[in-house]
Amino acid sequence: MIQRIQTIYLLLAFVATGFLPFFIPLWTLSNHKDFFFMQNQIYVIVLGLSTTLSLLSIISYNKRQNQFVIGRLNIILNLILLGLFVYRSLNVSGEALAVSEKGIGMFLPIVAIVLLVLANKAIKKDEDLVKSVDRLR
């Protein structure tokens, strides 16, 4: 399980969506306070689902097809999260008095998407290898 490269990618995606948002602010408000994902319930739900899907994908290493589908769902969920961040950043940039600064935490869904795409590519490669061996039997 752990020796497969897709498990490493999925574990890194799990860290990017499960642990890093607690330490990296999404943006800084105009009153110089950091805005973390926990301050908005929608971000908590979407990041929690993404973390759960990453963990579920790691656990289902025996069923490569299910792992691939879970990875695709996780990519879609992270794209939705990225869209929410972009929408919020466009609204934040329209503040009247002082413009808030966007944080590096807004790029965590992009990191997760890249890692999930790499994991799905490795899962697909494993599945193709198993299919080619089955043809030889």
Side-chain angles (χ1 to χ4, degrees):
M1 174 180 94
I2 195 71
Q3 68 269 19
R4 293 172 40 198
I5 189 69
Q6 60 263 31
T7 306
I8 303 297
Y9 291 143
L10 290 169
L11 189 63
L12 289 173
F14 174 76
V15 168
T17 59
F19 292 119
L20 290 181
F22 285 104
F23 305 109
I24 300 174
L26 298 177
W27 48 79
T28 304
L29 300 175
S30 58
N31 57 1
H32 302 291
K33 290 188 178 180
D34 290 336
F35 184 88
F36 288 93
F37 81 101
M38 298 162 289
Q39 296 171 342
N40 192 334
Q41 190 174 12
I42 294 173
Y43 299 152
V44 171
I45 291 170
V46 175
L47 276 169
L49 283 173
S50 178
T51 304
T52 305
L53 285 178
S54 294
L55 189 61
L56 185 65
S57 185
I58 290 171
I59 291 171
S60 65
Y61 63 92
N62 283 336
K63 301 174 184 166
R64 285 176 301 278
Q65 195 61 33
N66 289 347
Q67 197 177 24
F68 188 76
V69 170
I70 292 170
R72 282 196 174 179
L73 288 174
N74 204 351
I75 290 170
I76 292 169
L77 194 62
N78 277 301
L79 284 172
I80 291 170
L81 183 64
L82 185 63
L84 288 172
F85 286 165
V86 168
Y87 175 74
R88 172 70 176 151
S89 72
L90 291 176
N91 285 345
V92 168
S93 65
E95 290 178 341
L97 298 175
V99 177
S100 298
E101 296 178 17
K102 282 73 174 173
I104 196 153
M106 291 183 65
F107 296 109
L108 288 177
I110 296 173
V111 171
I113 289 170
V114 169
L115 290 168
L116 290 168
V117 166
L118 289 172
N120 272 359
K121 195 173 185 180
I123 293 167
K124 182 72 172 158
K125 186 177 174 183
D126 276 359
E127 187 66 28
D128 290 343
L129 181 65
V130 169
K131 284 182 183 178
S132 70
V133 170
D134 283 343
R135 272 185 249 143
L136 294 175
R137 286 187 201 178

